[in-house]
Amino acid sequence: MSGNLFNLTPENLADEHLCCIIRSHKRHPGVEAKRQWLSERLPEGHVFRKLDQRATVFIEYAPLETAWVPVVGDKYLYIYCLWVLRDQRNRGYGRALMEHCVADALTQGRSGVCMLGAVKQRAWLSDQSFARHFGFETVDTAGDYELLALSFDGTKPHFTEAAKRQTIDSQDLTVFYSPQCPYIHQTVETIRQYCAERAIPLSVIPVDSLEKAKALPCPFNNFALFYRGKFQTVNLIDTSPLGRILAKND
């Protein structure tokens, strides 16, 4: 490795870039929302560990008890995102980040580490095959989505019953989102514009508390889309896949 890895803290948060959207001086609504969200999460034990260079190399995880996902379990850490962009791969960063998370869980006396996966790898989920090399296994399912876990003591986290339901009463296109990812803002605005131009009924629901996140009716990492009352995806999508979802369900 040619660089050092370090954690964001309340003291350095304002001055450090957030990796996945690297900006210089121009303000970005998604970045600012994420920075504010992080300032509230770090005191809860949330960890954002990154490379000390202007590069997309980081891991983000939190105690499962305070992770904004509909997953429950005793004494686990939950990985939101582990991302090493292609130009930084094969340098040992991904392994170092995962090993740090696992070591942190052991130091804290936790039962293990878990993350969201899927039957088929999805674009906006961390690399499941990489996690399986560390011993992560599927411990629960919700439709096409899986909960992967590395258990130290044989216990297993699980999706909430609500997350397995994957239905809502509304037939409108419905988006649930949290500020956890800086890309959320532009995705939601793209969907708003697309629907406004076509007079498509749209409901956009901010997930702005831990309680709302734990009660969500579907798997969730930071975004979820429903249409005709049915859960569609956790992928942040643009207009092309959105059009396909609408056409397929009409």
Side-chain angles (χ1 to χ4, degrees), residues 16-156:
E16 294 291 339
H17 70 77
L18 298 183
C19 294
C20 34
I21 297 183
I22 299 175
R23 298 277 167 166
S24 54
H25 301 294
K26 186 177 180 181
R27 293 177 67 86
H28 183 284
V31 172
E32 297 311 312
K34 172 62 180 285
R35 203 181 300 277
Q36 177 59 39
W37 187 82
L38 272 177
S39 72
E40 299 166 1
R41 305 282 79 76
L42 291 178
E44 300 171 349
H46 189 106
V47 172
F48 190 116
R49 187 169 180 82
K50 55 170 285 194
L51 185 65
D52 63 349
Q53 299 174 13
R54 294 186 64 78
T56 302
V57 178
F58 71 99
I59 189 171
E60 188 171 3
Y61 61 88
L64 183 56
E65 297 86 351
T66 55
W68 286 28
V69 292
V71 177
V72 293
D74 293 332
K75 299 172 63 178
Y76 266 78
L77 294 181
Y78 178 86
I79 298 175
Y80 285 102
C81 190
L82 170 57
W83 193 3
V84 177
L85 205 59
R86 190 174 301 277
D87 63 351
Q88 297 292 332
R89 292 178 185 172
N90 301 314
R91 301 183 185 185
Y93 292 131
R95 174 169 291 277
L97 289 167
M98 181 66 88
E99 287 177 346
H100 177 87
C101 177
V102 172
D104 195 6
L106 287 167
T107 298
Q108 294 183 37
R110 292 192 168 269
S111 296
V113 181
C114 61
M115 59 183 275
L116 183 63
V119 173
K120 181 179 180 181
Q121 178 71 47
R122 305 299 173 95
W124 287 90
L125 296 179
S126 298
D127 190 338
Q128 297 155 205
S129 60
F130 179 75
R132 291 186 189 278
H133 284 309
F134 283 84
F136 283 72
E137 299 177 334
T138 300
V139 295
D140 200 7
T141 60
D144 291 336
Y145 289 85
E146 300 178 329
L147 183 62
L148 305 180
L150 172 63
S151 178
F152 305 147
D153 60 9
T155 63
K156 298 177 181 179

Side-chain angles (χ1 to χ4, degrees), residues 7 13-14 35 48 83 90 102 135 160 173 197-198 234 240 244:
N7 291 358
L13 176 59
R35 203 181 300 277
F48 190 116
W83 193 3
N90 301 314
V102 172
T160 63
L173 184 68
E197 291 171 351
R198 293 160 177 80
V234 300
S240 295
R244 291 194 292 270

